Structures are given as structure tokens and as C-alpha cells.
Amino acid sequence: MARIAGVNIPTNKRVPIALTYITGIGKASAEIICDAVKIERSQRVNELSDAEVLSVREYIDSNFSVEGELRREVTMNIKRLMDLGCYRGLRHRRNLPVRGQRTHTNARTRKGPAKAIAGRKK
């Protein structure tokens, strides 16, 4: 099992698909990595040599922000918005949708389960 950026990537999948298991690497980034390191897209992870795995690991470390570093960066960006007190920061602070979605109906994922209104009779 190959371990890249602290993640055990699945061995029986093709390389571009397996690389998407790393947080911060999507399909397009995985294709770019395969081109840069000169690995065929049809090749499976268990067919890679140790040198190829090492070259993929080094390329990702030098060119991409992944896993813990990426999560820390995103968290710091959200914290910065909250500290500024801008609209997006207030929405994050109140745990409401940030990108302009409606909240009159829907938005249950962010708002949590519906709360009954006390003292109301039908």
C-alpha cells in the first residue's frame, strides 16, 4: 500500500483515481501530477515502482498544499473572516449558509433539525 502525504492510497485503483483520495487533489490535479511525473494513466498503484511513488510524493510536496496544511489554511481563512466581522464571517459565526442561499425553507444541513415553536397550538 502506497503512502503519500500521510494517506494510504488504494492499491488496486488506477493512479489518477487513487490520488484523489488525498485531500486537496482532484481529478484535474491528479492528471497534472501523472503528466509531470510521466506515469501512464492506465497504470495501477500496485504496479508502481518505489522510485515512481517517491517521485509522486516529492512532486506533491513541492507543488501542492494538501491534507493537514490545507485544512489549517482553510480554517485560518474562515477565522480571519470571523475576526473581521464581515458579512461572510458573521454567517460562519452563526452557522448559517455563507454563499447567498435562502434560509426561509431549506438550509437544514447548516441550521440543524427544525425546532418547534413553543406555545403554539394548532
Side-chain angles (χ1 to χ4, degrees):
M1 186 172 270
R3 189 167 176 85
I4 299 173
V7 177
N8 293 330
I9 59 175
T11 54
N12 56 348
K13 293 190 183 284
R14 292 186 305 112
V15 176
I17 303 301
L19 287 176
T20 62
Y21 280 67
I22 301 170
T23 302
I25 295 179
K27 289 181 182 179
S29 301
E31 299 286 335
I32 290 168
I33 292 166
C34 288
D35 287 341
V37 184
K38 295 182 178 66
I39 292 176
E40 275 208 39
R41 293 187 175 110
S42 60
Q43 199 171 5
R44 302 210 177 253
V45 174
N46 56 7
E47 298 168 357
L48 292 176
S49 68
D50 290 339
E52 288 173 324
V53 172
L54 183 65
S55 64
V56 168
R57 190 178 299 134
E58 287 172 352
Y59 186 80
I60 289 173
D61 286 342
S62 63
N63 296 310
F64 290 92
S65 174
V66 291
E67 287 298 321
E69 181 185 341
L70 179 65
R71 287 194 188 98
R72 194 169 25 263
E73 190 178 318
V74 169
T75 305
M76 291 305 294
N77 288 340
I78 292 171
K79 198 169 288 186
R80 179 181 52 82
L81 289 171
M82 288 165 51
D83 291 343
L84 282 172
C86 65
Y87 182 78
R88 281 173 57 202
L90 295 175
R91 302 298 283 185
H92 274 293
R93 198 179 301 156
R94 292 180 186 153
N95 219 13
L96 291 169
V98 176
R99 297 187 176 175
Q101 298 92 331
R102 65 180 293 140
T103 57
H104 181 71
T105 59
N106 302 333
R108 293 278 41 125
T109 303
R110 283 291 287 208
K111 291 170 75 174
K115 300 167 193 84
I117 300 172
R120 208 160 168 209
K121 295 182 181 180
K122 290 183 181 179

